Amino acid sequence: MSKVLVVEDDPVVQAALVHALTDLGHVVQAVGTAVAALREAGTSELDLVILDLGLPDLDGVAALRMLRGVSNVPVIVATARGAENSVVSTLNAGADDYIVKPFSSEHLAARINALLRRTGGSAAAASEVVVLGELSVDLAQRMATLGDCALALSRREFDLLAYLAQRPGRVISRRELIQAVWGHPYVGDDKTIDVHASWLRRKLGETAAHPRYLHTVRGVGFKLAAPE
């Protein structure tokens, strides 16, 4: 029995999906916005997300990128957008599979079973722990340790650390961080990231002038890497 999150704003379609998935033996939770979906993904142990792209508060592709910042849960995009470029952009954003509406419950069940067989469900994905030198980031438990010491991180500090930790050594732009971690458009001179990066560095026992893990790439963004 798998726990499935349905992200669908149309109440009729949402109810039909919940009914079909429940009949298939899954435990189902449904939400109608991207914000609610991200909240559930960050706090619940999920085996699968079924995501509509036409959400009222945020485009589904943007929501998918943000979801990938907090969870590795398998995602099936279920949408009326069947154009090839839409499929490609969605898969590139992190979707595991794509199904075009309308579809039968049997078709959906087959996609779900195939995906869960490949991934082993969220238990395997959610158990991922990223280790960089003495820094360990447990994505499922939302815990980080440095050596033998647990880091007392705020929710946003952990979100920032987790997003960077899942992309070790890669320079992440400010635009990507503000959209993926904070969930709002980048408007240019935004000090939010700098403030949180400063707080995070302090807890990592380093400074911007003498970084060990969290490096600023001037004019671009940040990267997280193990000390050399």
Side-chain angles (χ1 to χ4, degrees), residues 24 48 118 125 155 163-164 200 202 217:
L24 291 169
L48 182 73
R118 293 199 306 269
R155 180 176 64 86
Y163 194 84
L164 292 168
L200 181 56
R202 190 177 308 154
V217 179

Side-chain angles (χ1 to χ4, degrees), residues 5 8 19 30 45 55-56 90 99 105 108 112 121 123 138 141 143 163 165 173 180-181 202:
L5 176 66
E8 170 63 64
H19 180 73
E45 290 189 9
L55 299 174
T90 303
I99 185 169
S105 58
L108 178 61
I112 290 173
D138 188 323
Q141 300 298 320
M143 294 175 56
Y163 194 84
S173 70
V181 178
R202 190 177 308 154

Side-chain angles (χ1 to χ4, degrees), residues 13 39-40 44 62 85 98 112 129 148 154 172 179 197 204 208 216 226:
V13 176
R39 186 186 307 117
E40 287 300 319
S44 303
N85 61 341
Y98 195 108
I112 290 173
V129 177
D148 295 326
S154 69
I172 310 298
Q179 291 176 337
L204 290 171
T216 300

Side-chain angles (χ1 to χ4, degrees), residues 1-225:
M1 184 169 57
S2 301
K3 185 173 182 180
V4 181
L5 176 66
V6 172
V7 188
E8 170 63 64
D9 66 314
D10 185 317
V12 175
V13 176
Q14 184 187 102
L17 283 170
V18 170
H19 180 73
L21 291 166
T22 302
D23 282 350
L24 291 169
H26 301 294
V27 175
V28 187
Q29 183 162 354
V31 296
T33 65
V35 170
L38 292 168
R39 186 186 307 117
E40 287 300 319
T43 59
S44 303
E45 290 189 9
L46 301 172
D47 293 301
L48 182 73
V49 174
I50 297 177
L51 175 67
D52 177 42
L53 294 185
L55 299 174
D57 57 337
L58 190 66
D59 180 75
V61 174
L64 178 58
R65 292 195 179 99
M66 293 179 190
L67 176 62
R68 279 290 168 253
V70 298
S71 175
N72 289 321
V73 62
V75 177
I76 295 177
V77 166
T79 180
R81 304 178 191 176
E84 182 179 355
N85 61 341
S86 179
V87 175
V88 171
S89 64
T90 303
L91 293 173
N92 285 338
D96 296 279
D97 201 355
Y98 195 108
I99 185 169
V100 179
K101 299 175 182 176
F103 48 81
S104 66
S105 58
E106 291 81 7
H107 187 177
L108 178 61
R111 293 293 186 97
I112 290 173
N113 291 337
L115 180 55
L116 291 179
R117 280 197 304 270
R118 293 199 306 269
T119 63
S122 66
S127 65
E128 182 179 352
V129 177
V130 179
V131 178
L132 297 169
E134 295 184 328
L135 176 64
S136 176
V137 183
D138 188 323
L139 303 174
Q141 300 298 320
R142 292 184 62 82
M143 294 175 56
T145 56
L146 185 61
D148 295 326
C149 299
L151 300 179
L153 303 178
S154 69
R155 180 176 64 86
R156 195 67 78 188
E157 289 166 357
F158 182 86
D159 290 345
L160 175 60
L161 178 64
Y163 194 84
L164 292 168
Q166 291 176 91
R167 300 154 180 83
R170 174 184 154 193
V171 179
I172 310 298
S173 70
R174 293 171 180 272
R175 179 182 299 276
E176 180 176 343
L177 286 172
I178 205 70
Q179 291 176 337
V181 178
W182 276 265
H184 58 74
Y186 181 66
V187 294
D189 187 20
D190 193 321
K191 300 300 182 185
T192 301
I193 299 176
D194 298 278
V195 171
H196 282 81
S198 177
W199 291 341
L200 181 56
R201 277 202 180 97
R202 190 177 308 154
K203 294 177 181 180
L204 290 171
E206 60 187 54
T207 65
H210 301 286
R212 296 182 64 234
Y213 291 93
L214 183 56
H215 300 262
T216 300
V217 179
R218 189 174 298 277
V220 182
F222 298 89
K223 73 173 180 178
L224 194 74

